[in-house]
Amino acid sequence: MWGDEAVTYRLAQRELYQLWETAQQVDLVHALYYAVMHLVFDVFGAGLLPLRLPSVLAMAAAAAGVGLLGLHLAGPRAGITAGFVFALLPQVQKYAQEGRSYAMVCALIAWASYALVVSSSRRGRWRWTVYGFAMLLACLLHEFAVLALAAHGVTLIVSRPPKAVLRAWSVTAAGVVAGLFPLAVVSAGQSEQVSWIGEPVRPYPWLAAVMVGLVCTRAPLRSQGTVRLTALAVPLLLLPGALLLTISLVKPIFVDRYVLFGDIGLALLLGAFLEHVHRLPRYSWTVYVAVLAALVALVPLSSSLRAPQSRSNDATAIGAAVRAEGRLGDGLLYLSSQQRTLTAANPEDTRLLVDIALA
């Protein structure tokens, strides 16, 4: 487990009332996710598998949502391709195996996007209810999911649907913002949680995704329905990251995983692009070679993402060393109380030691 996963592991094992007391002081933005993981641990017990399996399942659901979006917007072949492309993207593979909320946010935004696309061409208030509920849940799991709501607004403006659709979306979006507002106000007082961000964190994967996505738009992508594929995919890929990078000029706040859901747009564009090029006889063999080369190139990267070394830090290493070397009655001194997170993942590691600062 790396640092953030260790926090999930520790907090999810607390009772719900203890979790609520903690969230009022720190990390309120992730309180809903910790509560969900608390229920998972109650059912399956605490461990690495229960910690990460919800993210695996959520990303599988996200891939299904992307496939369905592609099918609805550009046909079955583009849908199947987009779903597979999404699952193979390195960023998606990385966060599909992590005990944090980003995979769940991706899944909710993928299915909210599908509800938006369907609602724009078919009447029915219940579809807008599904859209609003999915978006609100995504925002409560992570506040920056509200940037996807802004991208959806741009999608509808570009698509020019009937006024009734714009009105329905506006009402639904207002409800989502109203539901998020109390969390945003209270969590603003916990801004020290992101004080570690001194500069944009790993912006290059996002920038590369934007470049690839924009290149794909140069092809005459086939679309069907009220909302065009590019009208949905480009804002979802481009707008959230661009807004965070712009804000970062004043206050650094960009982290690549905060806009992970932008890969939904990239997968849709790539899926439709590959389907378009495949239909051109003179390019068919080129597509097969390019796809095969990409799959081969992804093998070592995919393997490295599944190795322990892929974690940015090992939050269990210090605890393991203390457990191996520490003896009953030895003292343990944390030079900062925050450093207790480095041994908190497994309290048994330090059970035999005296916490000098606490004493």
Side-chain angles (χ1 to χ4, degrees), residues 210-219 273:
V210 168
M211 291 179 62
V212 171
L214 292 180
V215 167
C216 290
T217 62
R218 302 301 298 171
F273 175 79

Side-chain angles (χ1 to χ4, degrees), residues 126-212:
W126 68 271
R127 294 188 180 89
W128 287 111
T129 302
V130 170
Y131 170 76
F133 180 76
M135 280 306 308
L136 178 58
L137 201 54
C139 292
L140 294 178
L141 282 170
H142 198 278
E143 284 180 332
F144 287 158
V146 74
L147 298 172
L149 188 70
H152 287 162
V154 173
T155 294
L156 290 182
I157 291 173
V158 171
S159 300
R160 298 180 180 178
K163 289 184 179 179
V165 172
L166 284 173
R167 194 181 308 116
W169 178 84
S170 299
V171 172
T172 307
V176 172
V177 173
L180 178 63
F181 185 73
L183 174 64
V185 170
V186 177
S187 64
Q190 300 177 356
S191 57
E192 69 275 4
Q193 286 295 106
V194 292
S195 60
W196 62 272
I197 307 176
E199 60 183 16
V201 179
R202 293 184 298 273
Y204 302 110
W206 176 80
L207 290 171
V210 168
M211 291 179 62
V212 171

Side-chain angles (χ1 to χ4, degrees), residues 5 33 42 63 120 123 134 153 164 168 179 187 226 241 253 305 329 345:
E5 284 188 307
Y33 175 68
D42 266 358
S120 65
R123 294 183 178 181
S187 64
T226 305
I253 203 169
L305 286 172

Side-chain angles (χ1 to χ4, degrees), residues 17-62:
Y17 77 90
Q18 295 173 320
L19 189 54
W20 175 240
E21 290 174 355
T22 302
Q24 292 179 68
Q25 305 299 322
V26 65
D27 230 4
L28 180 64
V29 292
H30 296 296
L32 177 60
Y33 175 68
Y34 296 146
V36 171
M37 293 307 298
H38 172 82
L39 298 176
V40 171
F41 283 2
D42 266 358
V43 175
F44 299 104
L48 271 180
L49 182 61
L51 175 68
R52 291 174 177 162
L53 187 58
S55 293
V56 177
L57 298 176
M59 207 61 97

Side-chain angles (χ1 to χ4, degrees), residues 3 6-7 10 315-316 334 336-346:
V7 173
R10 185 176 75 256
T316 64
Y334 299 95
S336 164
S337 61
Q338 290 183 340
Q339 302 306 320
R340 284 189 174 84
T341 60
L342 296 176
T343 58
N346 184 11

Side-chain angles (χ1 to χ4, degrees), residues 68-76 117 120-121 221-229:
L68 201 57
L69 269 169
L71 184 151
H72 191 88
L73 293 171
V117 169
S120 65
S121 56
L221 305 180
R222 186 164 61 97
S223 292
Q224 54 194 28
T226 305
V227 176
R228 296 182 61 83
L229 184 139

